[in-house]
Amino acid sequence: MSSIDYTAIRTKARAEVDDELGKIIDPRERRALAEEIRDQAHMELSMLRDERQQLVAAAALYEPAPDLHEKFGISRTHLRRLTMGLLHNDLDREQQINPPPWPPLSERAEAARNAGLPHPKDAVDQATAISARYEEAAARRRAAKEHLGEAGEELRAAIGRVDVGQLERPDFATIREQARTAMLDELAAVDGSPEERLRLAAEAVDHWEEQLNRLLPERDAAMCSLAFYATAKGVYYSAGINRNACNRILARVLGVPDIADIPKRDMQPAAARAAGVRFVKKAGTKLPKIALEYEAAKARHDAALQVRRELILVMGAEPYGWEAPQIAEVIDRDPKVVRRVLDANGNAKK
């Protein structure tokens, strides 16, 4: 296995670019900086590319080992393509699709020597180090290019609303009911004591609560982008909420005290930019999907919450007679949460 976490390297590089560019509201300034970051990363990749290929190929041919590609953050196929490119003076397009045969283990070192490939000391370690630098630069370039596209869309939106066509309007009622039924069926199928069923219901509540916290900002960001920067009307139909709920969210992100204070439609793009509302690329296709996922998660969460409540009442009554702190420990909640459920049913315990 690789001693370097390439996923962490790429994630960190992406986060740094996102943070650096996310502070800039003006899309022109953001585009200019994104171009600079992209060009810097491209230059670094150009400087590293040949040396990386030589070191990776040397490691593969002189110091072969199982799963060596993982040390370099690439696939096994990619490692072979880099290596064969050196052995055969770079493969053309046809050869990349149907490459020459990979040399047997006993012949790899000789193949490398015949190609004039040097065997540097600690080839694997050197290849690993340069691969980490290469993947970091590649991640920065990818992130910058994405921001370039988003900034370009924002500039087009600044001229006029972006035409997104007719938005999909999913059947949220059916999705909610299907998700609710599925959750209830899953918890009903649990073969165990009421305590074990309560624990599993509580875990389901926690899991779907996390999903809701993840999805809600994504849904609202896509919805606000469409409402303020696109030609779409009735965006709330695609978000799974009603008009008033949508307007409350729009008022909140604009920082106005009331729905009545939301600017007229022709003034909304400028007001949204002034409030720092970001343009979401492909929001028209993203919103219905995110909203469907959110509504299904909410239905599952509410169903698990219902089962948890029912089982709290079971554990608080005879023959169990558990007290609130004991139940709270099982569901990993404050005893006050349990007491509210028991109080509502008239059988609270201290």
Side-chain angles (χ1 to χ4, degrees):
M1 294 296 293
S2 173
S3 58
I4 292 181
D5 188 343
Y6 285 95
T7 298
I9 287 175
R10 297 181 187 111
T11 301
K12 182 174 182 290
R14 172 60 192 255
E16 289 174 350
V17 173
D18 287 347
D19 182 63
E20 188 173 1
L21 294 173
K23 298 173 182 176
I24 302 174
I25 299 301
D26 188 297
R28 291 178 178 81
E29 294 180 16
R30 193 173 343 114
R31 183 174 64 175
L33 182 55
E35 287 177 344
E36 182 179 333
I37 294 173
R38 178 202 60 189
D39 293 346
Q40 288 175 346
H42 182 77
M43 184 179 300
E44 185 174 354
L45 289 171
S46 298
M47 293 172 61
L48 294 172
R49 186 172 290 110
D50 289 346
E51 184 180 2
R52 166 179 170 265
Q53 184 180 16
Q54 287 219 1
L55 287 169
V56 167
L61 296 170
Y62 288 118
E63 303 176 23
D67 299 326
L68 186 62
H69 61 285
E70 294 182 2
K71 289 185 175 293
F72 311 139
I74 57 178
S75 67
R76 183 177 281 105
T77 301
H78 192 179
L79 181 145
R80 291 189 177 187
R81 187 164 62 245
L82 288 174
T83 303
M84 296 300 283
L86 276 182
L87 288 181
H88 298 277
N89 296 318
D90 292 328
L91 303 178
D92 59 28
R93 185 175 182 82
E94 178 61 32
Q95 289 173 319
Q96 288 180 17
I97 298 173
N98 299 296
W102 183 242
L105 182 62
S106 60
E107 299 177 11
R108 290 178 196 170
E110 182 180 358
R113 287 191 291 270
N114 291 339
L117 182 65
H119 184 185
K121 183 180 179 182
D122 300 324
V124 173
D125 290 342
Q126 288 194 56
T128 300
I130 199 170
S131 292
R133 292 170 57 196
Y134 188 90
E135 291 301 319
E136 180 182 4
R140 287 180 62 81
R141 184 175 66 173
R142 282 194 297 271
K145 289 174 71 174
E146 288 183 22
H147 278 277
L148 271 173
E150 292 174 4
E153 292 289 347
E154 285 186 59
L155 287 173
R156 284 190 284 276
I159 299 172
R161 286 178 176 265
V162 175
D163 186 2
V164 293
Q166 182 66 42
L167 298 182
E168 180 186 356
R169 296 181 175 182
D171 183 356
F172 288 106
T174 298
I175 291 297
R176 293 185 191 107
E177 183 57 29
Q178 289 175 345
R180 175 182 173 279
T181 301
M183 187 79 264
L184 292 175
D185 288 347
E186 288 174 24
L187 293 175
V190 174
D191 184 15
S193 66
E195 178 185 353
E196 178 60 21
R197 292 177 59 215
L198 174 60
R199 190 185 308 278
L200 291 174
E203 289 176 358
V205 170
D206 292 345
H207 170 76
W208 292 109
E209 194 171 276
E210 289 178 3
Q211 296 305 308
L212 292 175
N213 291 336
R214 174 181 65 85
L215 291 166
L216 184 58
E218 295 181 21
R219 186 203 70 180
D220 287 355
M223 184 179 70
C224 290
S225 179
L226 289 167
F228 293 136
Y229 299 129
T231 57
K233 295 184 179 180
V235 174
Y236 51 89
Y237 287 116
S238 300
I241 59 179
N242 60 37
R243 184 196 298 268
N244 283 337
C246 176
N247 285 337
R248 284 195 296 271
I249 294 169
L250 299 184
R252 173 173 53 79
V253 299
L254 289 179
V256 298
D258 192 77
I259 290 175
D261 298 307
I262 296 176
K264 297 297 184 182
R265 186 171 173 82
D266 61 338
M267 301 297 292
Q268 287 176 5
R273 285 193 294 275
V277 178
R278 298 296 297 271
F279 181 91
V280 177
K281 191 176 182 182
K282 298 181 180 178
T285 56
K286 289 179 180 178
L287 177 60
K289 294 177 182 178
I290 297 170
L292 272 176
E293 192 176 351
Y294 177 84
E295 291 300 320
K298 189 173 187 306
R300 281 180 164 270
H301 172 268
D302 292 350
L305 199 62
Q306 173 190 331
V307 174
R308 190 186 75 174
R309 180 184 182 282
E310 293 170 355
L311 290 169
I312 286 174
L313 296 175
V314 169
M315 299 308 297
E318 297 300 334
Y320 301 99
W322 281 24
E323 296 183 353
Q326 190 175 6
I327 299 174
E329 185 175 349
V330 172
I331 68 173
D332 193 25
R333 286 292 191 276
D334 190 287
K336 292 178 182 177
V337 174
V338 177
R339 289 193 184 99
R340 279 198 295 271
V341 175
L342 297 175
D343 283 344
N345 202 54
N347 63 339
K349 288 184 175 290
K350 302 296 183 184

